[in-house]
Amino acid sequence: MCRAAGAPPRILPPLALLLLAALQQAPIKAACEDMLCKTGFPEDVHSAVVSRSVHGGQPLLNVRFQSCDGNKKIHFGSSEPEDFRIDEDGVVYAERSFQLSAEPTEFVVSAQDKETREEWQMRVKLTPEPAFTGATEKDQKKTEEIIFPWQQYKHSSHLKRQKRDWVIPPINLPENSRGPFPQELVRIRSDRDKSLSLRYSVTGPGADQPPTGIFIINPISGQLSVTKPLDREQIASFHLRAHAVDVNGNQVENPIDIVINVIDMNDNRPEFLHQVWNGTVPEGSKPGTYVMTVTAIDADDPNAQNGMLRYRILSQAPSSPSPNMFTINNETGDIITVAAGLDREKVQQYTLIIQATDMEGNPTYGLSNTATAVITVTDVNDNPPEFTAMTFYGEVPENRVDVIVANLTVTDKDQPHTPAWNAMYRMTGGDPEGLFTILTDPNSNDGLVTVVKPIDFEKNRMFVLTVAAENQVPLAKGIQHPPQSTATVSITVIDVNESPYFVPNPKLVRQEEGLLAGSMLTTFTAQDPDRYMQQTSLRYSKLSDPANWLKIDPINGQITTTAVLDRESIYVQNNVYNATFLASDNGIPPMSGTGTLQIHLLDINDNAPQVNPKEATTCETLQPNAINITAVDPDIDPNAGPFAFELPDTPPSIKRNWTIVRISGDHAQLSLRIRFLEAGIYDVPIVITDSGNPHASSTSVLKVKVCQCDINGDCTDVDRIVGAGLGTGAIIAILLCIIILLILVLMFVVWMKRRDKERQAKQLLIDPEDDVRDNILKYDEEGGGEEDQDYDLSQLQQPDTVEPDAIKPVGIRRLDERPIHAEPQYPVRSAAPHPGDIGDFINEGLKAADNDPTAPPYDSLLVFDYEGSGSTAGSLSSLNSSSSGGEQDYDYLNDWGPRFKKLADMYGGGDD
């Protein structure tokens, strides 16, 4: 028993003695230090053994810090914060996943009082546990025991202090264990199981949470066991919590955390991300050029040897120019070149077999897998284009453009249809005027020499071009163009018959208008550019002469007039008359050229001026009565204005009634000279003279309408309207409107008459008093019938021959008959032409029908099978026959009563 200096001896409580007995390895010194309170870490250096593979978030140990004052707020820190984190309860967690080395890992844990800023430190040393090598049978029977952390109590009158929970070192369990199962792992025990009956349990994933049933615990003994093999690739570690309760379910101990790490075994082969890898490398690459990277993954622990892969190349195909053209970084999988000599024109593709092996490439214990790397050698411009011939030949007719005259062929060993293969051609000499260009055929890579400007045989008969061929991209470094990349092109120009041409074209001739017909105007000739062809002289003809004023001599091109030239003609625009002529040769084929003759016509004073407008209106009084007029002359200066206006001397009434005053060179004012002039229409002659030399004058008549005017000078009398008259268009429009109105009225009258006729005809046909059709008539009396009517029914008598019902075939009977009983014998009417015979016949038939059990009801339509034949009246349709109506006598219809009176009137009434 320990005590503080100067303190009276104390006796430990029985519970403390029991806990000390359970923890046999706890030294008495530690108990004394606990009882003699000292704030700080209990030790300067704390050592712990942990698994070699540390995972992020994994609890490693619990640092114990003793505070004599329970109210202190302690903050823990780590000297390696990127690797270790310490919570406020003192549990040390791994901040990231890493692999412990064989040497111990050390770091410093600090504790600082948040209020007083006092600080304490402790050094922690982590030692990796030895590799799992398998336990002996004796060791397997020995099970580690984990005891719940104990609690210390003071007197009940004081506060209770509980030690910090212990952190149990993780339990390492190899995956794929063969058992036997369940396999005992550790025994959980509380030191209070001697005085209490306790029950143990575990919770967490793998126990009571999915996946459940992997770990079980004996509730009595606390033995924790695993029930089946574990797979680290599915779950790398399990975090369980152990509980101890009494038989009533009351918690006896604080739960403790148990971490079970699954130790990785080499049970997975490396797997490449792709079975076939594709890469490229330019031809001619230097050794050390990066090509591609292949990657494989291993499901085993990547921080252990089981998941550490190494790469190597097993084979290379083809093996030229060297069997070892490539190498691979055994750790990263980077493939690089190690030899020179990559030439796409010789080897376009290499195939490598790559192997990945785990256990750091150990061929004995490691597992391996293979993949294929296909490396394509890409083309570079290391082969210049070369012409297939040193000289190419072609010919072209003169004056032709967009014609291919030569086809230049080249060869290039580079990959077709790439910039290193596509050829470009340029002319280095022989075409100073730019008459040719060279295009590239995108399919064949040939050069197409094309003419872009017309070539004149009379100037150049042959061209010798110098052409160079290049690629779209420059040649690789160190490659030069050989002489075969330059060639010459010899082009011969073929002479063809060319069209004659007029000189000058157009030709301008200045001539005064009024030139008489038959006068020689000018000579318009053409030239033939074909100096080296034997052909006769040119022939001339007229192509276009809108006014038909000219003709040309077919031999010498002399142009003469056929009519008077008139500058004021509608065919003259801006004083210029255009005519087109044709010059033709007799070459093969014949050619022709056109030339335009422009005749600039000079004006002469050949037109007298006229007054405008031709009609005017003025008032009958003196004021206001001015009329503004304008002189119009088709001629131009100096044969036009200024104009002189005057009134003629005859008749004398003109000057007596009117006066004219010029107000400008082209305008004048006409007004009344007298105070009043009676309303009406007056013809006022006006003499207008131009300024030409000699002068030209004319007398124009101005129709003046004189009317009564208001104060504003506007006509107000009817005479003005009558005098003004209506235009032809207005009169035609009025007549058309009148005709259309009459037609509409006539159509309406015809329609009304036709409607009345239809109404009368319809009334005649539907009059119930005179209707002769088989309509149903309603009578007010019952009984009687037609027996008491004295009708002449001779025309409805029974014919002589009647088909008896007895011999009627069964199949002819109507569907509404019921042949259940013997059919009654209906009476047969004699053929005597007596009017009463039809009445007796109907009565007898009525009685027979009443006694016929097969007949329809009384109020139903009675159907007869026989409609009659051989009657003297014939068919009823004959009543409407125009052909037989005149041959029969219908006077007997008058004897049939008033209901047949209409028929009697229609057919038996005679001509009227």
Side-chain angles (χ1 to χ4, degrees):
M1 183 175 61
C2 301
R3 61 185 179 88
R10 295 179 57 189
I11 300 176
L12 292 175
L15 179 59
L17 294 176
L18 179 61
L19 292 175
L20 289 175
L23 300 174
Q24 297 177 2
Q25 297 180 355
I28 298 176
K29 180 179 179 181
C32 293
E33 289 179 355
D34 186 77
M35 296 180 66
L36 299 176
C37 181
K38 181 180 179 181
T39 301
F41 292 103
E43 50 191 348
D44 295 334
V45 178
H46 179 77
S47 299
V49 178
V50 297
S51 60
R52 183 179 300 270
S53 298
V54 178
H55 304 279
Q58 174 182 341
L60 302 177
L61 70 154
N62 190 351
V63 294
R64 299 170 56 191
F65 183 84
Q66 180 173 303
S67 176
C68 296
D69 185 1
N71 297 327
K72 285 185 177 292
K73 296 182 180 180
I74 304 300
H75 171 73
F76 293 97
S78 170
S79 61
E80 304 292 337
E82 66 277 1
D83 294 333
F84 304 100
R85 171 176 54 86
I86 307 173
D87 286 353
E88 293 184 357
D89 56 357
V91 179
V92 180
Y93 294 90
E95 192 68 17
R96 62 181 180 87
S97 299
F98 58 90
Q99 193 81 9
L100 289 178
S101 61
E103 297 296 330
T105 300
E106 296 185 3
F107 64 97
V108 176
V109 175
S110 61
Q112 186 179 40
D113 191 337
K114 295 182 180 181
E115 296 180 356
T116 64
R117 314 303 294 178
E118 186 178 0
E119 186 175 345
W120 299 267
Q121 291 184 348
M122 179 181 67
R123 189 159 51 92
V124 177
K125 182 184 296 184
L126 299 180
T127 303
E129 62 183 6
F132 180 80
T133 57
T136 62
E137 181 179 357
K138 181 178 180 181
D139 295 337
Q140 290 178 358
K141 294 182 180 179
K142 183 178 179 181
T143 303
E144 182 181 358
E145 186 176 87
I146 298 176
I147 302 177
F148 279 93
W150 53 276
Q151 297 177 345
Q152 181 179 9
Y153 298 90
K154 294 187 177 181
H155 297 289
S156 58
S157 59
H158 295 82
L159 295 176
K160 176 178 66 175
R161 182 175 63 87
Q162 176 180 324
K163 283 185 173 291
R164 298 183 180 273
D165 293 344
W166 293 358
V167 175
I168 307 301
I171 300 173
N172 298 319
L173 185 64
E175 65 174 335
N176 303 324
S177 176
R178 296 184 179 180
F181 296 100
Q183 179 180 349
E184 296 181 355
L185 299 180
V186 69
R187 181 168 176 247
I188 309 298
R189 189 178 68 83
S190 173
D191 55 359
R192 303 186 64 183
D193 59 354
K194 296 180 181 180
S195 60
L196 297 174
S197 177
L198 303 182
R199 296 292 183 270
Y200 301 96
S201 64
V202 290
T203 59
D208 62 340
Q209 299 177 17
T212 59
I214 297 179
F215 300 98
I216 58 176
I217 189 171
N218 189 314
I220 304 301
S221 64
Q223 183 66 48
L224 180 65
S225 305
V226 61
T227 60
K228 60 182 180 180
L230 304 181
D231 188 356
R232 191 204 68 83
E233 286 71 40
Q234 293 184 359
I235 302 178
S237 63
F238 295 88
H239 295 265
L240 305 179
R241 173 161 288 193
H243 306 270
V245 297
D246 57 16
V247 294
N248 295 324
N250 298 320
Q251 178 177 322
V252 177
E253 302 284 359
N254 290 335
I256 60 173
D257 293 327
I258 301 176
V259 178
I260 301 175
N261 292 328
V262 183
I263 303 302
D264 183 41
M265 306 296 290
N266 192 18
D267 58 344
N268 291 279
R269 289 181 177 274
E271 296 290 341
F272 283 91
L273 297 180
H274 305 286
Q275 194 59 35
V276 178
W277 297 78
N278 295 292
T280 58
V281 59
E283 62 176 331
S285 297
K286 296 180 179 179
T289 303
Y290 171 80
V291 180
M292 60 188 300
T293 299
V294 296
T295 304
I297 58 175
D298 196 317
D300 293 326
D301 189 358
N303 298 317
Q305 289 185 345
N306 299 335
M308 296 182 179
L309 306 182
R310 297 295 182 267
Y311 302 92
R312 69 189 186 101
I313 299 176
L314 297 182
S315 64
Q316 170 192 308
S319 58
S320 62
S322 171
N324 298 316
M325 296 296 295
F326 305 93
T327 186
I328 188 171
N329 188 308
N330 64 345
E331 292 186 2
T332 62
D334 296 340
I335 299 176
I336 59 176
T337 60
V338 293
L342 291 174
D343 190 352
R344 191 203 65 84
E345 287 72 35
K346 295 180 179 179
V347 179
Q348 298 182 3
Q349 192 177 82
Y350 289 92
T351 301
L352 308 180
I353 304 300
I354 310 298
Q355 183 186 60
T357 306
D358 58 14
M359 296 295 293
E360 295 183 319
N362 190 318
T364 303
Y365 302 104
L367 303 177
S368 62
N369 212 337
T370 60
T372 302
V374 179
I375 301 175
T376 301
V377 181
T378 58
D379 187 35
V380 298
N381 193 15
D382 57 346
N383 294 280
E386 299 180 359
F387 286 100
T388 58
M390 297 303 297
T391 304
F392 296 88
Y393 299 92
E395 58 183 20
V396 58
E398 63 173 332
N399 299 323
R400 296 285 299 276
V401 294
D402 297 331
V403 178
I404 299 175
V405 298
N407 193 3
L408 312 181
T409 57
V410 295
T411 59
D412 196 318
K413 298 179 182 179
D414 291 321
Q415 185 175 358
H417 305 291
T418 61
W421 179 83
N422 296 333
M424 297 188 304
Y425 301 88
R426 60 184 180 90
M427 285 179 290
T428 58
D431 185 23
E433 299 180 5
L435 303 176
F436 303 92
T437 187
I438 303 179
L439 306 176
T440 303
D441 189 328
N443 296 321
S444 63
N445 213 26
D446 294 344
L448 308 177
V449 182
T450 307
V451 181
V452 294
K453 295 181 180 180
I455 302 175
D456 190 357
F457 174 82
E458 285 70 28
K459 294 182 179 180
N460 296 290
R461 300 186 182 184
M462 179 175 288
F463 293 88
V464 178
L465 309 178
T466 304
V467 181
E470 300 174 345
N471 292 122
Q472 291 181 349
V473 295
L475 290 173
K477 188 176 181 180
I479 306 297
Q480 301 295 329
H481 284 281
Q484 292 81 1
S485 296
T486 303
T488 58
V489 183
S490 178
I491 300 175
T492 301
V493 182
I494 302 174
D495 190 16
V496 297
N497 186 23
E498 298 179 79
S499 301
Y501 59 93
F502 286 86
V503 179
N505 189 17
K507 182 176 182 180
L508 179 63
V509 177
R510 301 178 69 86
Q511 176 64 45
E512 283 188 353
E513 65 173 330
L515 184 65
L516 299 178
S519 302
M520 198 278 290
L521 182 62
T522 185
T523 300
F524 197 20
T525 58
Q527 299 178 5
D528 194 341
D530 299 312
R531 299 192 300 269
Y532 302 99
M533 285 188 175
Q534 299 296 329
Q535 53 191 14
T536 60
S537 59
L538 302 177
R539 304 284 295 182
Y540 301 95
S541 60
K542 185 172 63 173
L543 184 62
S544 173
D545 184 11
N548 198 22
W549 287 346
L550 308 173
K551 69 176 182 178
I552 187 170
D553 188 282
I555 304 301
N556 56 23
Q558 189 177 69
I559 299 175
T560 57
T561 62
T562 59
V564 178
L565 304 183
D566 185 7
R567 190 197 65 83
E568 290 76 28
S569 172
I570 60 174
Y571 302 105
V572 177
Q573 301 293 331
N574 298 325
N575 302 326
V576 177
Y577 179 76
N578 292 313
T580 306
F581 298 91
L582 187 69
S584 304
D585 61 17
N586 61 345
I588 302 176
M591 301 298 293
S592 61
T594 61
T596 301
L597 178 64
Q598 294 181 339
I599 306 174
H600 189 278
L601 295 175
L602 304 177
D603 186 41
I604 62 175
N605 196 11
D606 57 345
N607 293 280
Q610 299 292 327
V611 68
N612 185 51
K614 299 295 184 181
E615 297 180 357
T617 302
T618 186
C619 297
E620 59 184 1
T621 59
L622 186 61
Q623 295 294 334
N625 62 352
I627 300 173
N628 293 325
I629 60 175
T630 303
V632 177
D633 194 336
D635 295 327
I636 60 176
D637 290 337
N639 298 319
F643 300 97
F645 301 88
E646 60 181 346
L647 298 176
D649 296 334
T650 58
S653 60
I654 298 300
K655 286 190 174 182
R656 185 175 60 249
N657 297 335
W658 304 92
T659 182
I660 190 169
V661 178
R662 191 178 76 170
I663 59 177
S664 67
D666 297 336
H667 305 282
Q669 251 185 12
L670 179 68
S671 59
L672 289 174
R673 181 184 293 272
I674 60 179
R675 294 182 176 273
F676 176 80
L677 183 63
E678 186 178 357
I681 298 176
Y682 298 88
D683 291 335
V684 180
I686 300 175
V687 179
I688 305 176
T689 305
D690 61 19
S691 300
N693 187 17
H695 300 293
S697 63
S698 66
T699 301
S700 301
V701 177
L702 176 64
K703 187 181 291 297
V704 180
K705 301 173 184 178
V706 180
C707 62
Q708 297 179 2
C709 299
D710 56 13
I711 59 174
N712 297 323
D714 298 327
C715 289
T716 58
D717 56 346
V718 181
D719 292 339
R720 173 183 177 275
I721 301 176
V722 175
L726 293 176
T728 305
I731 295 174
I732 294 175
I734 293 174
L735 292 177
L736 288 176
C737 292
I738 293 174
I739 293 173
I740 292 173
L741 182 60
L742 292 176
I743 292 175
L744 292 177
V745 172
L746 181 60
M747 291 176 63
F748 179 76
V749 171
V750 172
W751 177 76
M752 291 297 294
K753 289 185 177 181
R754 185 174 180 180
R755 182 180 178 186
D756 292 340
K757 289 183 179 181
E758 291 178 352
R759 183 180 303 170
Q760 293 176 2
K762 185 175 181 181
Q763 183 68 23
L764 177 62
L765 294 176
I766 66 174
D767 190 359
E769 295 292 331
D770 302 326
D771 194 358
V772 298
R773 295 177 296 175
D774 295 337
N775 293 342
I776 301 176
L777 301 178
K778 180 179 179 182
Y779 296 92
D780 294 335
E781 71 278 355
E782 297 183 1
E786 296 180 353
E787 290 183 351
D788 54 357
Q789 303 294 332
D790 187 11
Y791 295 141
D792 184 6
L793 303 178
S794 60
Q795 299 299 323
L796 301 177
Q797 292 177 353
Q798 180 77 9
D800 295 337
T801 60
V802 178
E803 181 183 5
D805 285 344
I807 64 175
K808 182 173 64 173
V810 178
I812 303 179
R813 182 177 290 110
R814 294 179 61 89
L815 296 178
D816 55 350
E817 294 179 355
R818 294 167 48 194
I820 301 176
H821 306 283
E823 297 181 48
Q825 297 296 326
Y826 284 88
V828 178
R829 185 169 59 87
S830 64
H834 189 274
D837 182 58
I838 188 64
D840 296 336
F841 174 76
I842 292 177
N843 289 329
E844 293 175 2
L846 179 60
K847 293 178 181 180
D850 293 339
N851 297 327
D852 186 4
T854 64
Y858 176 78
D859 56 349
S860 299
L861 179 64
L862 184 60
V863 180
F864 293 92
D865 293 336
Y866 178 76
E867 294 181 359
S869 64
S871 174
T872 58
S875 175
L876 291 178
S877 63
S878 64
L879 297 176
N880 200 25
S881 175
S882 61
S883 61
S884 61
E887 300 176 358
Q888 298 184 17
D889 185 11
Y890 296 98
D891 293 336
Y892 62 88
L893 294 175
N894 293 319
D895 301 331
W896 284 19
R899 300 188 181 278
F900 293 88
K901 187 176 183 302
K902 180 63 69 174
L903 290 175
D905 294 339
M906 294 174 62
Y907 293 91
D911 296 336
D912 54 343

